Amino acid sequence: MSQLPKRYDPLVVEEEVLDFWNKEKVYDKTLKLRSSGPKWNFLEGPPTTNGFMHVGHARGRAMKDTQIRYMTMRGYDVWRRGGWDMQGLPVELEVEKNEGIVEKGLIDSNVGMDVFVQKCKELVDFYLERWVNDSIRLGLWLDYPEAYQTRKDDYIEHVWYFLKMANEKGLLGRGYRVNPTCPRCVTALSGHEVSQGYATKVDPSIYVKFEMVDRENEYLVIWTTTPFTLISNEMVSVHPKYKYVKLDVGGEFWWVVEDLVEVVMEKAKVESYSKVETLTGKKMLGWKYRHPFHDEVPFHQEHDEKYMHAVVTGKHVTVEDGTGLVHTAPGFGPDDFEVGKEFKVPVLAPVTTSGKFTDEVPMFEGKLVFDTNVEVSRLLKEKGLLVHEETVSHEYPHCWRCDTPLIYLADKTQWFLKMTGLRDKLVKANNDVEWTPKWAGTGRFGDWLANADDWCISRSRIWGSPLPVWVCDDCKSEVVVGSRKELKERAIEFPEDFEMHRPWVDEVVLKCEKCKGEMHREQFVTDCWLDSGMAHTASVDYLKDPSLFNRLFPYDFITEAVDQSRGWFYSLIYTSVVMHGSAPFKDCVSQEHVLDEDGGKMSKSRGNVVWAKDALETIGADPFRIFMLTRSASWSRMNHNQKEIDLIRKKLDVLWNVVLFSETYMELDKFKFDEKRMMKFLPEANLEDKWLLSRLESVVKEYHEHMDKYLWHQAGRVLLEFITEDFSRVFLPLVKKRVWLDSENPKKVMAYDVMYYALQTFIRLLNPFTPFICEKLHKDFLVRFADGLPESINLTDMPMLVDKLLDTEMEATFDVLQELRTASSHARNKKGVKLRHPVAKVTLIAEDKETSKRAESLKELLLDDLNTRDFEAVLTDILAEFTQLSVKPNYKALGPRYKDMMKQLVAQLQKVDAVKLRDDLEKGIATLEVKGKKLELVQGDVDFEESLPEHLSYADSKIGKVYVDVTRTKELEAEGLVRDVTRRIQVMRKEMDLKVEQSIEIVLHFSDNESVELAKMFEDHLKNETRAVTLDLVGPDREPGWKKYSYIKEWEIDDLKLKVGMAAR
RNA sequence: GGGAUGUUGGUCUAGCUCGGUGAAUGACAUUGCUCUUAUAUGGCGAAGAUCGGCGGUUCGAUUCCGCCACGUCCCA
């Protein structure tokens, strides 16, 4: 029969439990057990298999597991297929790094795209294995063997299927997108790449005036650090709220933002100028100007749209530098692009991806844009439009591979999923979702959804789901292919070893149905969020057999971190609304991130990432899980903090220790739990038994209320508080007295039954949070002391509320007890009266009738508990009885009048009846006889202070005022002394390793005779308590025969010195 | 740069949805006292926060609004 180790070591426990689960196939058994239960379907948000699992991932996964285990124990047949997101840019970047690939163009020549893709597969497989291992170590019970992988052909096929459907619904289309582009690598860069490459760059900084149309001699003054973009200028943006002024600069009028007038005038070397007119920006909307390169660039001559070559408004305008009028070229900047879209100005982007002007700009055709800056300035100067020219050095994005300055460039070949006509449906679908917390969904996500733009899904990449669009070389007609089968049918030639990845898919050429020409694939892959977004359908292989999908959809529950709002939550809803007309999930819990100890972001570059594996292998999964789950609400950020984990781990220590305590005595008494017996005898049970069971049921109730709302942190906190506060600190000390009774004693059996019942219930409730320790305690404790339990706690049912055990009146009564304990300790503490010294009386002046009734009902228990001879609960504050009025002379008033009589007067004042004196003074004059003289006192001569009489100590509490009468009598002192002595003898018995029933002989040598006398009053009691056959009490004037005693020890009890001799007999 | 979200004793946190009681909750750490034959515990005290800063709404704001600083997330 195995025994629990003395100390809780999570690592040892968890290793053992993992082994047990593995050997006994416990997970499979839970599936089988619940297979006929009601369905509850969880959709796993697939982690990206690049990099390892860190503690932030692990927190989210702990939440998933807790919910899953909870539902399983509630009897549900839980769908929980795992999933992995395996494609995308980060994988490529790591492979490029590993392979030393600098330029993407090199892939074909040096490595070969097929080899590259192979490397990507190997990399994600490597990470996949670690993710699975770490997840299992964390205790996350998912279906791993059947887990979906976004890189599989079957999965990608669903993405194609979706895109074809989207296209048929008119939602797929081409559009412009402004990308940071490296002209040397001839590729667009992702935001992530851009942020890696900021560096200082020296650029021209020019101030240019644009001649206005219909406003004679007036000019708009703009500023730019990229002169070449002026070629493609279409608008000038002003801020709608800023004030702009028209300046007379000697024959010409210039428009500049008011805040920057002086700066601009100084740069332009205009010494005298005057303000002619002031306007807010929005009034300038629509003002036309003549493009500075109107004559040179044919494109500009054709312009006649309303806002072309006109002033528009935008909030991106600042007054930090420049002129407050921002030159806007929609093809060359994200802000510019947005403005262009808003004012319906078409994009002009006469520059190739390699950064060279096209034939649309005849004067610069074939020239690299940066190289034209000087020329642009020169031309402007010639035209007399250059106001000022200088250079600035600023932070500018560079290519992280080759350090070439990037160009923001509009690219019209990108593919989009449109929002047109869909927005309302998405918002409505989202409103049907139950979000936790509510504001994250309807507010944060809902607002964002209502304003979401078209979704750019094309990526100029390799390792991803290929965009299934083929375009005819000749007639340019397009076809979106929806499946592998369809592709094969339309292919001119279909390779044997086909795979739905680049480069294989690129090699498939289709025949154009219109012109019989050749069709080639658009060389994009799709955004990997589209992959994971299809999980609702693709994860269950809908295309092969939709029956499983039909059973599961919509899923009951998903949970991911906030960064998924724009990611997974969005892509799920978008694709599902398009395909199935509704959101694919019913409940969604939003999580926040885990930060480092100082609240900083965890990142590889900072080196502050805590990997899940390390955390799990050093602190253990259970302490980690309970920390992550209870420390803060799922939607609040949290800091990873070792100190805090240690604190919460202590609570698991407490659980372990209370079980250990129970086990020790239950083992001794050969106890077997019998629920019927417990219920039968419960009416006669001790107060604390009924109380504990009622508390337990309150916990069960609250726990389920929280769990039903996915408030794991609340549910967990309720549990931890119960075990540490109620069970360990309150109940066990009360029960301890009973474990020494005979093993057959019904009081003791009841204590065991209650302990067992409470622990069994508790451990099951806790199991979803800390499955390892709970499994261990189930196996090695619960199973041993009851019949008919299954081998694993995961095969048991979640305890539900047992109404008949709930007794709120009992709990309220017990609260009174706790309050009285606290208050009495406080009052004792004030007077320095230790608990083991009995006091004469404790009085409660209760707040209300119920409290006093409850307190009275506890009287017997209280006498023992508070160690008092008497207890009374009364309702009214009988002030006179408990307070004492004392007189304080006012020396400043009395001194000058009574001078040398002061000493006697003061002495007399202490003796006088203070209440009477106060009453007299209130009426008028009081007289006092001192040394035969009658002295007169008036108000102000003395102050009165209310104080407690010496023998009383007072403490306030939530339930009323508590007075403790600490009057010392001989008997009370004797009792206290005997308790002191008894305790020390018991300590010595333990140190001698005596059996409980072993008799002894004792001598007590006191340092004063008074103590001898006191001890004699309780001689028999002392003998009984310590199982002494002989007891010799000796004072300071005699030295006992020490030789007789085998164990001698000296003690100090306050001032008393005590030497104890002891021998077994 | 835009949007979102947060900032409470030395540390970590509760409360803030729907502003109002008197001491803003609890834990750790500090400190005084104390209990205990389950516990690397526990109990009673002391001390410690003008609830990030500044403004506004209001009779009244930690709680609502705005701006600023700092952190974080998403987008650019």
Side-chain angles (χ1 to χ4, degrees):
Chain A
M1 185 151 287
S2 67
Q3 292 237 325
L4 288 173
K6 280 270 173 279
R7 189 140 290 153
Y8 168 50
D9 183 340
L11 299 180
V12 173
V13 168
E14 288 166 19
E15 193 185 338
E16 184 193 322
V17 169
L18 281 169
D19 204 42
F20 167 72
W21 285 346
N22 197 23
K23 249 191 224 146
E24 300 300 326
K25 304 206 174 351
V26 176
Y27 169 72
D28 294 336
K29 285 175 183 165
T30 65
L31 295 185
K32 202 174 157 215
L33 175 71
R34 304 300 181 186
S35 59
S36 58
K39 313 291 180 209
W40 189 80
N41 308 317
F42 164 70
L43 181 60
E44 161 77 333
T48 314
T49 47
N50 68 78
F52 299 125
M53 189 199 291
H54 62 65
V55 290
H57 298 119
R59 181 194 189 210
R61 293 175 89 62
M63 289 172 183
K64 290 174 179 177
D65 187 61
T66 296
Q67 187 61 32
I68 287 171
R69 282 182 198 264
Y70 175 73
M71 294 311 280
T72 304
M73 286 177 77
R74 286 286 298 265
Y76 288 89
D77 179 23
V78 177
W79 177 262
R80 48 175 97 198
R81 177 167 285 181
W84 307 105
D85 190 6
M86 308 180 94
Q87 304 182 136
L89 178 70
V91 179
E92 289 191 35
L93 292 181
E94 188 165 341
V95 171
E96 284 183 11
K97 208 174 109 199
N98 293 346
E99 302 300 312
I101 299 166
V102 181
E103 265 182 55
K104 204 151 58 78
L106 289 176
I107 289 170
D108 294 311
S109 52
N110 280 12
V111 182
M113 200 184 284
D114 53 343
V115 177
F116 183 81
V117 166
Q118 185 56 36
K119 296 280 179 196
C120 287
K121 288 181 195 168
E122 283 166 16
L123 189 72
V124 293
D125 280 339
F126 165 73
Y127 283 124
L128 173 64
E129 195 187 342
R130 262 293 291 273
W131 268 87
V132 172
N133 289 341
D134 290 354
S135 297
I136 289 171
R137 180 62 188 83
L138 178 70
L140 174 59
W141 274 4
L142 290 181
D143 180 356
Y144 296 110
E146 294 292 314
Y148 63 91
Q149 299 189 5
T150 59
R151 62 126 184 236
K152 297 281 185 191
D153 279 9
D154 288 346
Y155 194 101
I156 294 171
E157 210 163 352
H158 288 81
V159 175
W160 283 23
Y161 179 84
F162 166 77
L163 287 172
K164 181 173 180 172
M165 182 183 274
N167 184 50
E168 283 162 5
K169 294 189 175 187
L171 291 167
L172 183 67
R174 281 177 200 265
Y176 276 103
R177 184 184 159 90
V178 176
N179 293 314
T181 305
C182 173
R184 187 165 169 274
C185 302
V186 197
T187 183
L189 272 70
S190 70
H192 160 252
E193 288 171 297
V194 172
S195 59
Q196 286 181 9
Y198 273 87
T200 307
K201 181 172 187 278
V202 178
D203 270 320
S205 162
I206 59 172
Y207 293 75
V208 184
K209 56 184 186 185
F210 287 2
E211 186 185 356
M212 300 187 69
V213 179
D214 301 331
R215 284 180 164 261
E216 207 166 325
N217 223 6
E218 290 185 27
Y219 294 86
L220 301 167
V221 182
I222 63 96
W223 170 74
T224 182
T225 54
T226 49
F228 72 87
T229 60
L230 285 173
I231 302 288
S232 315
N233 169 280
E234 295 286 11
M235 290 161 289
V236 169
S237 299
V238 297
H239 196 287
K241 285 188 179 164
Y242 293 165
K243 286 206 171 3
Y244 289 85
V245 293
K246 178 169 149 188
L247 300 171
D248 183 342
V249 290
E252 273 184 9
F253 300 99
W254 292 0
W255 285 93
V256 176
V257 75
E258 189 171 42
D259 295 4
L260 292 168
V261 168
E262 287 171 25
V263 183
V264 175
M265 289 302 103
E266 194 180 321
K267 294 207 189 244
K269 302 207 171 55
V270 176
E271 276 158 23
S272 74
Y273 57 91
S274 60
K275 292 182 190 180
V276 180
E277 195 183 347
T278 307
L279 281 176
T280 49
K282 63 180 176 194
K283 297 232 167 101
M284 299 165 72
L285 181 64
W287 290 2
K288 290 270 190 181
Y289 61 87
R290 183 184 161 85
H291 195 279
F293 297 104
H294 180 268
D295 299 336
E296 291 86 344
V297 183
F299 191 80
H300 289 301
Q301 294 154 24
E302 298 157 20
H303 276 35
D304 48 5
E305 298 275 341
K306 187 172 176 195
Y307 289 109
M308 281 177 178
H309 303 167
V311 176
V312 296
T313 55
K315 291 196 173 143
H316 63 288
V317 176
T318 69
V319 291
E320 268 158 45
D321 36 33
T323 64
L325 291 97
V326 177
H327 138 63
T328 302
F332 293 88
D335 286 332
D336 308 46
F337 182 74
E338 291 303 318
V339 172
K341 223 160 68 175
E342 191 184 339
F343 291 94
K344 301 198 168 49
V345 172
V347 173
L348 170 59
V351 174
T352 65
T353 317
S354 47
K356 289 170 185 163
F357 277 107
T358 64
D359 57 3
E360 289 173 282
V361 186
M363 63 176 172
F364 293 143
E365 189 183 344
K367 279 196 178 168
L368 197 63
V369 289
F370 290 119
D371 298 342
T372 64
N373 277 340
V374 179
E375 187 68 8
V376 168
S377 296
R378 195 185 58 79
L379 282 169
L380 288 169
K381 208 172 197 170
E382 277 175 15
K383 291 168 190 272
L385 296 175
L386 192 67
V387 172
H388 175 66
E389 185 178 19
E390 61 186 16
T391 57
V392 290
S393 77
H394 56 165
E395 289 297 297
Y396 190 86
H398 289 65
C399 178
W400 62 280
R401 283 184 269 239
C402 63
D403 286 334
T404 308
L406 302 180
I407 311 165
Y408 282 89
L409 206 55
D411 176 359
K412 67 185 150 200
T413 62
Q414 301 292 327
W415 289 81
F416 286 83
L417 283 168
K418 294 175 194 162
M419 281 300 265
T420 324
L422 203 60
R423 192 183 312 277
D424 290 347
K425 287 180 193 161
L426 294 182
V427 170
K428 196 173 159 294
N430 180 52
N431 286 341
D432 292 337
V433 174
E434 277 292 325
W435 281 82
T436 303
K438 285 216 167 351
W439 53 261
T442 50
R444 186 167 63 194
F445 184 59
D447 289 350
W448 179 81
L449 204 54
N451 296 307
D453 266 332
D454 293 347
W455 174 15
C456 178
I457 54 152
S458 50
R459 299 283 185 273
S460 303
R461 284 276 152 192
I462 296 161
W463 178 236
S465 300
L467 186 77
V469 177
W470 270 258
V471 179
C472 178
D473 296 344
D474 303 330
C475 73
K476 302 292 175 203
S477 63
E478 294 161 1
V479 60
V480 181
V481 176
S483 70
R484 180 192 166 100
K485 191 168 155 251
E486 190 184 332
L487 183 70
K488 197 171 176 179
E489 284 166 7
R490 302 190 63 150
I492 294 171
E493 206 177 324
F494 196 75
E496 282 296 306
D497 58 345
F498 177 76
E499 164 178 343
M500 272 182 151
H501 274 123
R502 301 185 70 187
W504 301 279
V505 72
D506 297 337
E507 289 157 12
V508 179
V509 180
L510 308 187
K511 177 159 259 172
C512 179
E513 290 184 339
K514 285 189 185 145
C515 70
K516 309 290 170 202
E518 286 195 350
M519 303 182 94
H520 285 93
R521 200 185 70 87
E522 286 283 283
Q523 305 246 309
F524 290 111
V525 296
T526 62
D527 182 5
C528 56
W529 287 117
L530 187 58
D531 295 346
S532 54
M534 283 301 293
H536 48 75
T537 303
S539 72
V540 293
D541 217 344
Y542 170 83
L543 292 177
K544 201 170 279 169
D545 177 6
S547 61
L548 185 54
F549 169 84
N550 291 333
R551 200 196 96 192
L552 299 172
F553 189 90
Y555 296 80
D556 291 291
F557 176 69
I558 65 169
T559 177
E560 300 296 332
V562 275
D563 54 309
Q564 305 291 323
S565 294
R566 275 81 168 157
W568 201 50
F569 295 156
Y570 176 63
S571 61
L572 277 178
I573 286 197
Y574 187 101
T575 55
S576 179
V577 165
V578 169
M579 275 187 88
H580 312 297
S582 68
F585 48 90
K586 292 185 202 159
D587 295 353
C588 177
V589 175
S590 167
Q591 304 165 11
E592 250 288 355
H593 287 250
V594 176
L595 308 173
D596 73 7
E597 209 164 309
D598 307 314
K601 177 191 177 161
M602 281 192 188
S603 69
K604 275 191 211 168
S605 54
R606 286 199 214 177
N608 61 351
V609 180
V610 182
W611 301 111
K613 189 170 190 280
D614 298 334
L616 295 173
E617 282 175 0
T618 52
I619 62 189
D622 281 337
F624 176 82
R625 288 171 60 125
I626 194 78
F627 167 74
M628 289 289 171
L629 282 157
T630 59
R631 186 169 159 78
S632 62
S634 62
W635 59 86
S636 311
R637 84 225 15 248
M638 63 179 293
N639 300 353
H640 187 266
N641 187 325
Q642 189 58 46
K643 246 170 56 189
E644 300 289 323
I645 296 177
D646 291 342
L647 283 180
I648 205 150
R649 187 233 141 109
K650 274 189 184 163
K651 300 190 177 185
L652 295 181
D653 284 335
V654 170
L655 170 64
W656 187 270
N657 283 323
V658 300
V659 171
L660 198 67
F661 173 84
S662 308
E663 185 217 25
T664 309
Y665 291 101
M666 288 176 182
E667 178 76 43
L668 263 166
D669 290 320
K670 306 273 174 280
F671 165 77
K672 270 285 178 199
F673 174 62
D674 184 341
E675 190 171 338
K676 278 189 191 139
R677 175 180 62 203
M678 182 184 86
M679 292 301 186
K680 186 178 164 196
F681 293 108
L682 194 61
E684 295 115 69
N686 281 14
L687 185 70
E688 68 266 22
D689 294 344
K690 294 180 191 164
W691 169 78
L692 186 82
L693 292 180
S694 180
R695 273 296 300 142
L696 179 71
E697 293 308 321
S698 296
V699 165
V700 170
K701 191 162 169 261
E702 278 183 62
Y703 170 85
H704 288 304
E705 281 166 8
H706 291 315
M707 291 302 281
D708 283 345
K709 289 189 256 174
Y710 306 111
L711 301 177
W712 305 299
H713 64 300
Q714 302 280 31
R717 286 174 190 175
V718 167
L719 292 182
L720 292 182
E721 195 171 314
F722 173 78
I723 200 69
T724 55
E725 297 294 324
D726 298 331
F727 199 98
S728 170
R729 281 174 207 167
V730 179
F731 178 71
L732 269 196
L734 289 171
V735 129
K736 259 188 214 171
K737 293 165 194 158
R738 277 190 275 165
V739 303
W740 293 104
L741 297 170
D742 296 333
S743 60
E744 299 299 315
N745 190 310
K747 285 270 174 201
K748 180 169 179 173
V749 174
M750 177 53 80
Y752 284 162
D753 275 338
V754 169
M755 280 158 73
Y756 184 89
Y757 181 80
L759 286 173
Q760 184 186 65
T761 304
F762 177 81
I763 292 169
R764 288 185 190 176
L765 295 177
L766 187 66
N767 185 53
F769 291 80
T770 55
F772 296 96
I773 187 175
C774 291
E775 187 74 288
K776 172 73 177 167
L777 296 179
H778 176 85
K779 255 162 36 83
D780 289 351
F781 171 69
L782 295 175
V783 168
R784 280 169 58 204
F785 297 105
D787 292 324
L789 287 184
E791 60 186 321
S792 165
I793 192 165
N794 294 287
L795 298 167
T796 66
D797 290 338
M798 190 51 83
M800 303 306 284
L801 180 64
V802 180
D803 252 323
K804 63 182 169 186
L805 293 179
L806 201 59
D807 185 346
T808 46
E809 172 59 27
M810 177 69 65
E811 290 187 46
T813 304
F814 226 78
D815 284 344
V816 169
L817 175 65
Q818 290 302 105
E819 280 297 316
L820 281 168
R821 278 211 182 112
T822 300
S824 138
S825 297
H826 188 181
R828 278 170 169 275
N829 201 276
K830 277 185 183 171
K831 291 277 178 181
V833 184
K834 299 170 184 179
L835 183 64
R836 63 178 182 278
H837 292 140
V839 294
K841 183 173 181 180
V842 174
T843 308
L844 167 71
I845 294 167
E847 294 259 282
D848 53 53
K849 216 170 168 179
E850 292 197 322
T851 306
S852 90
K853 237 170 78 191
R854 285 167 185 154
E856 277 295 342
S857 77
L858 290 164
K859 185 163 179 173
E860 217 155 303
L861 187 65
L862 285 169
L863 293 184
D864 186 48
D865 223 54
L866 307 183
N867 198 14
T868 174
R869 283 299 165 80
D870 193 11
F871 173 80
E872 192 183 11
V874 293
L875 264 180
T876 43
D877 195 340
I878 327 163
L879 191 85
E881 202 178 313
F882 293 106
T883 58
Q884 180 174 288
L885 212 56
S886 64
V887 184
K888 275 188 83 183
N890 183 352
Y891 288 89
K892 211 173 174 183
L894 293 172
R897 289 213 316 267
Y898 300 116
K899 296 185 173 133
D900 54 336
M901 288 179 69
M902 280 299 288
K903 240 181 192 164
Q904 284 82 6
L905 174 62
V906 171
Q908 188 64 26
L909 278 172
Q910 302 310 320
K911 288 179 208 155
V912 87
D913 181 347
V915 179
K916 192 174 170 294
L917 180 62
R918 188 174 65 177
D919 289 348
D920 289 349
L921 284 176
E922 266 168 28
K923 279 177 216 151
I925 296 167
T927 53
L928 203 65
E929 215 180 275
V930 178
K931 273 187 171 174
K933 279 188 186 170
K934 286 201 168 171
L935 307 183
E936 289 188 344
L937 297 180
V938 293
Q939 269 195 333
D941 285 347
V942 293
D943 294 324
F944 293 95
E945 265 186 4
E946 284 184 10
S947 66
L948 280 178
E950 270 299 298
H951 70 284
L952 282 186
S953 184
Y954 159 82
D956 209 357
S957 81
K958 279 179 198 152
I959 56 165
K961 295 170 178 172
V962 175
Y963 294 90
V964 177
D965 183 346
V966 294
T967 313
R968 304 300 300 267
T969 65
K970 231 172 174 142
E971 211 191 346
L972 289 175
E973 260 179 63
E975 218 181 300
L977 176 70
V978 167
R979 274 190 172 214
D980 277 342
V981 173
T982 307
R983 207 189 107 236
R984 285 166 174 81
I985 293 172
Q986 303 292 24
V987 170
M988 288 173 69
R989 283 188 67 112
K990 196 190 174 197
E991 284 167 353
M992 285 175 75
D993 223 2
L994 295 182
K995 286 221 167 96
V996 179
E997 62 277 2
Q998 175 71 53
S999 300
I1000 52 169
E1001 293 184 73
I1002 308 176
V1003 63
L1004 299 174
H1005 187 233
F1006 295 93
S1007 63
D1008 61 66
N1009 283 315
E1010 206 188 336
S1011 300
V1012 179
E1013 228 172 282
L1014 291 173
K1016 274 187 180 148
M1017 293 169 68
F1018 284 88
E1019 206 175 332
D1020 289 341
H1021 174 82
L1022 199 55
K1023 278 165 109 174
N1024 272 341
E1025 285 285 303
T1026 59
R1027 297 209 180 220
V1029 209
T1030 68
L1031 173 63
D1032 196 4
L1033 301 171
V1034 183
D1037 22 304
R1038 183 159 76 83
E1039 202 54 36
W1042 291 112
K1043 273 181 230 155
K1044 199 172 147 192
Y1045 302 97
S1046 57
Y1047 186 41
I1048 296 161
K1049 194 164 176 176
E1050 284 188 60
W1051 298 90
E1052 275 183 39
I1053 305 172
D1054 298 331
D1055 292 335
L1056 172 72
K1057 284 196 177 98
L1058 171 67
K1059 197 167 169 186
V1060 183
M1062 222 165 101
R1065 160 129 177 214

